């Protein structure tokens, strides 16, 4: 996501760290090791010294289920709710 966003803005970032845990990402930012894009859900408790700034970037999220199980009532209800919320976002 970060690479695509930066390239879309016309530059390629110098990647210093690759981390798959958002708490660690925010901790690295907090100690001055760069900047990062994190999803809103992952930024509920930012590390000390971290300033969160909303950016106008959207990402696509896909729902996955086992073949043939998409009509199961629980799965169908979940996908319907998620789709409804996504379509009501600004």
């Amino acid at each position: 996501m970060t690479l695509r966003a930066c390239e879309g803005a016309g530059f390629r970032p110098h990647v210093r760290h690759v981390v798959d845990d958002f708490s660690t990402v925010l901790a690295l930012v907090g100690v001055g090791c760069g900047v990062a894009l994190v999803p809103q859900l992952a930024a509920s408790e930012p590390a000390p010294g971290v300033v969160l700034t909303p950016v106008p970037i959207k990402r696509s999220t896909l729902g996955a289920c086992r073949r043939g199980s998409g009509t199961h009532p629980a799965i169908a209800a979940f996908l319907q709710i998620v789709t409804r919320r996504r379509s009501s976002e600004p």
Side-chain angles (χ1 to χ4, degrees), residues 8 23-24 39 49 61 64 67 72 83 85:
S23 296
T24 303
T61 303
R67 186 180 317 251
H72 184 281
T83 302
R85 282 193 182 157

Side-chain angles (χ1 to χ4, degrees), residues 6 22-23 30 53 57 61 77 79 87:
C6 292
F22 291 118
S23 296
T53 304
I57 296 174
T61 303
L79 293 173
S87 65

Side-chain angles (χ1 to χ4, degrees), residues 19-30 38 41-48 50:
V19 181
D20 65 359
D21 176 75
F22 291 118
S23 296
T24 303
V25 169
L26 292 172
L28 286 166
V29 170
V38 295
L41 287 174
S44 61
E45 295 183 32
V50 173

Side-chain angles (χ1 to χ4, degrees), residues 14-81:
H14 182 140
V15 178
R16 303 285 304 238
H17 307 281
V18 177
V19 181
D20 65 359
D21 176 75
F22 291 118
S23 296
T24 303
V25 169
L26 292 172
L28 286 166
V29 170
V31 296
C33 291
V35 299
L37 293 176
V38 295
Q40 187 173 359
L41 287 174
S44 61
E45 295 183 32
V50 173
V51 176
L52 299 173
T53 304
V55 293
I57 296 174
K58 298 289 183 189
R59 67 179 183 177
S60 297
T61 303
L62 303 173
C65 60
R66 191 173 58 236
R67 186 180 317 251
S69 64
T71 57
H72 184 281
I75 294 171
F78 169 78
L79 293 173
Q80 182 181 23
I81 289 168

